[in-house]
Amino acid sequence: MANATDHLWMHFTRMASYSAGEVPTIVRGEGAYVWDSQGRRYLDGLAGLFVVNAGHGRTELAEAAAKQAGELAYFPLWSYAHPKAIELAEKVASLAPGDLNRVFFTTGGSEAVEAAWKLARAYFKRTGQPNKYKVVSRYIAYHGTSMGALSITGLPGIKSDFEPLVPGGIKVPNTNFYRAPEHGDDPKAFGRWAAEEIGRAIEREGPDTVAAVFLEPVQNSGGCFPPPPGYFERVREICDAYDVLLVSDEVICSWGRLGEYFGATRYGYQPDIITTAKGITSGYAPLGAMIASERLMEPFLTETGMFAHGVTFGGHPVSCAVALANLEVFAREDLIGHVRANEGAFRSTLEKLHDLPIVGDVRGDGYFYGIELVKDKATRETFDEAESERLLRGFLSTALFQAGLYCRADDRGDPVVQLAPPLIAEQQQFDEIEQILRGVLTEAWSRL
Ligand SMILES: Cc1ncc(COP(=O)(O)O)c(C=O)c1O
């Protein structure tokens, strides 16, 4: 639409790049597809932004929202409750692993991460270890944009404008096995090394100063780094040894993305806190949550105790009603089972792209994949800054979109194409993704 850039300030967007061209404007969605204002159809290869897990165009979710808004549009969770928040908290607690039974609603992921760091700090203050306030997280990991969450984020490029940030954000290596600095031929030894790096960081900082470790089950930023075998098992042991909380940031990795309700369940570890958002409502309304273990709530259950934190729209009735309806769809259609049944086919379809000279690595799990692009397959040499700019920003994103695939070409780490389609996707969509990528990546290679 012509006036799109007059007033609308888009997020993480080089606004100047639209001064000459039109902003792609999406007007409608159905299943795994969306349509733009010109009537062109695109395969939604990213579920919006890792959000629309149940797929687009579900009138039953729209109706759940309308019904709730008609009945009770809004009431806060500040000393009062409403039925859908009570019901959803119970549902989430029943699905979350172990004793993660206490659900604190937010409106999105950054707020969930922010709440988790605040809870970790307050918990230790109230249990006699007031100096435990720092957090450990991984290089290139994205954990949100509010000042606390941004401190936990490991992407210097999106932090420098806003420094100084909240003190106490400690960074450790991620689990990029393709570019493993050590043990590049042995995933288990690499996993052990990466986990021990967390222990070494805690030792360096002083265990009595570290409150929590924030990790995604599969790290998104950098292009889908799954955990090597044994990684989370060892991280759990390290956290226990130093009395540090393990926070599983599942803003992307929950609600079926990895073929389980929660990523921690997929990889068999027990976090102290899960942060979530996005797919909990499949995007039909905004919602996030921090899900904490019983022990973390205990210090706040004294007669005058409270967790002094909240947001007006956290656990909004409309969002909670939508989340409940969304989870009914999950159960009725067995979306979790669908991902488990089809994830192998998704992987093997994407792996066909290995025959292209530009494809260095295909990695991920469930319906969550990154394809790393390289200049030289044998040496794994990556692109320099100028090539990256030309290839990713100048060509790939637009070319993929014009060819009918919405996905993400990202160079916050090494250049990757990221894929996370709605969980209803099946072979037809996998083939479409592969075909479009094949054509556009072949063209990209010829332009280098
Ligand atoms: C792992 C992770 N944590 C936190 C966030 C922040 O979520 P939001 O954008 O809803 O604030 C994101 C967003 O993509 C994320 O991927």
Side-chain angles (χ1 to χ4, degrees):
M1 293 180 190
N3 59 353
T5 54
D6 289 351
H7 303 288
L8 181 64
W9 200 333
M10 286 177 283
H11 298 206
F12 284 109
T13 301
R14 292 178 177 183
M15 293 297 289
S17 66
Y18 290 117
S19 56
E22 278 214 351
V23 178
T25 305
I26 303 301
V27 297
R28 187 168 74 81
E30 185 67 45
Y33 298 90
V34 292
W35 281 260
D36 70 10
S37 49
Q38 315 289 319
R40 283 185 296 247
R41 190 187 85 157
Y42 305 89
L43 175 53
D44 183 359
L46 208 59
L49 200 54
F50 313 98
V51 168
V52 191
N53 288 10
H56 296 274
R58 296 221 183 232
T59 48
E60 123 179 46
L61 300 191
E63 280 157 13
K67 182 162 180 286
Q68 182 59 45
E71 207 168 285
L72 174 71
Y74 176 73
F75 215 75
L77 295 178
W78 302 39
S79 299
Y80 294 82
H82 52 77
K84 295 298 185 199
I86 297 169
E87 201 184 326
L88 182 62
E90 187 180 6
K91 179 78 188 166
V92 168
S94 76
L95 295 172
D99 76 336
L100 297 192
N101 293 332
R102 302 295 189 161
V103 184
F104 184 95
F105 289 118
T106 64
T107 67
S110 300
E111 279 177 9
V113 168
E114 204 75 31
W117 192 4
K118 286 183 79 172
L119 177 63
R121 293 170 79 142
Y123 170 80
F124 284 117
K125 270 211 165 69
R126 283 165 181 263
T127 54
Q129 299 185 79
N131 295 328
K132 275 169 103 64
Y133 71 93
K134 297 177 187 168
V135 285
V136 176
S137 58
R138 299 184 290 199
Y139 296 129
I140 319 177
Y142 182 87
H143 292 284
T145 48
S146 55
M147 292 301 259
L150 192 57
S151 285
I152 301 175
T153 289
L155 292 156
I158 65 164
K159 297 168 78 164
S160 54
D161 266 356
F162 312 107
E163 285 166 340
L165 299 176
V166 180
I170 314 304
K171 299 296 170 291
V172 294
N174 55 47
T175 59
N176 183 354
F177 184 60
Y178 185 64
R179 300 200 176 277
E182 305 207 13
H183 309 292
D185 52 355
D186 181 350
K188 211 164 167 198
F190 172 65
R192 179 92 189 178
W193 169 83
E196 296 299 347
E197 281 292 303
I198 294 175
R200 282 188 276 274
I202 295 171
E203 276 290 344
R204 247 186 341 263
E205 294 294 322
D208 59 343
T209 70
V210 181
V213 175
F214 278 69
L215 305 171
E216 291 167 89
V218 172
Q219 182 175 320
N220 169 46
S221 194
C224 281
F225 306 140
Y231 177 74
F232 273 111
E233 198 181 337
R234 184 64 193 132
V235 170
R236 181 68 265 182
E237 287 171 0
I238 290 167
C239 288
D240 287 342
Y242 292 115
D243 196 11
V244 166
L245 303 180
L246 175 55
V247 182
S248 193
D249 184 357
E250 309 207 3
V251 167
I252 291 176
C253 290
S254 45
W255 315 114
R257 182 54 54 204
L258 298 175
E260 289 286 352
Y261 279 104
F262 292 96
T265 310
R266 167 95 198 217
Y267 299 118
Y269 64 93
Q270 181 61 47
D272 299 293
I273 299 175
I274 286 177
T275 48
T276 186
K278 296 193 187 258
I280 188 169
T281 60
S282 287
Y284 287 74
L287 187 68
M290 169 185 71
I291 316 163
S293 71
E294 290 286 357
R295 114 179 130 109
L296 296 181
M297 197 184 199
E298 269 166 31
F300 304 95
L301 293 175
T302 59
E303 204 178 331
T304 56
M306 71 165 169
F307 180 42
H309 183 61
V311 282
T312 300
F313 284 152
H316 193 285
V318 171
S319 302
C320 290
V322 168
L324 284 164
N326 181 48
L327 294 178
E328 270 169 35
V329 170
F330 266 68
R332 194 175 62 236
E333 298 183 11
D334 188 19
L335 290 182
I336 301 284
H338 180 80
V339 172
R340 292 307 279 252
N342 289 281
E343 63 177 348
F346 188 33
R347 175 189 289 273
S348 54
T349 306
L350 293 178
E351 281 178 341
K352 288 188 197 165
L353 296 166
H354 267 307
D355 64 351
L356 300 179
I358 198 171
V359 170
D361 196 22
V362 177
R363 58 190 176 236
D365 261 332
Y367 272 25
F368 189 27
Y369 274 85
I371 298 174
E372 181 165 338
L373 308 178
V374 290
K375 200 153 89 176
D376 187 323
K377 228 179 167 78
T379 63
R380 302 187 181 183
E381 183 187 351
T382 193
F383 302 95
D384 63 29
E385 186 59 36
E387 289 163 337
S388 231
E389 178 69 32
R390 222 172 50 234
L391 178 76
L392 279 139
R393 303 204 192 253
F395 174 71
L396 261 184
S397 301
T398 316
L400 287 167
F401 192 66
Q402 281 169 353
L405 176 62
Y406 165 74
C407 63
R408 182 190 250 181
D410 188 10
D411 64 348
R412 292 178 296 180
D414 295 304
V416 288
V417 174
Q418 278 184 295
L419 296 158
L423 308 184
I424 49 163
E426 48 200 15
Q427 192 61 49
Q428 187 195 332
Q429 283 76 40
F430 306 157
D431 287 337
E432 224 174 302
I433 290 171
E434 195 268 342
Q435 286 299 308
I436 294 176
L437 282 172
R438 177 169 294 281
V440 173
L441 292 177
T442 304
E443 166 79 12
W445 183 253
S446 73
R447 285 166 169 248
L448 274 172

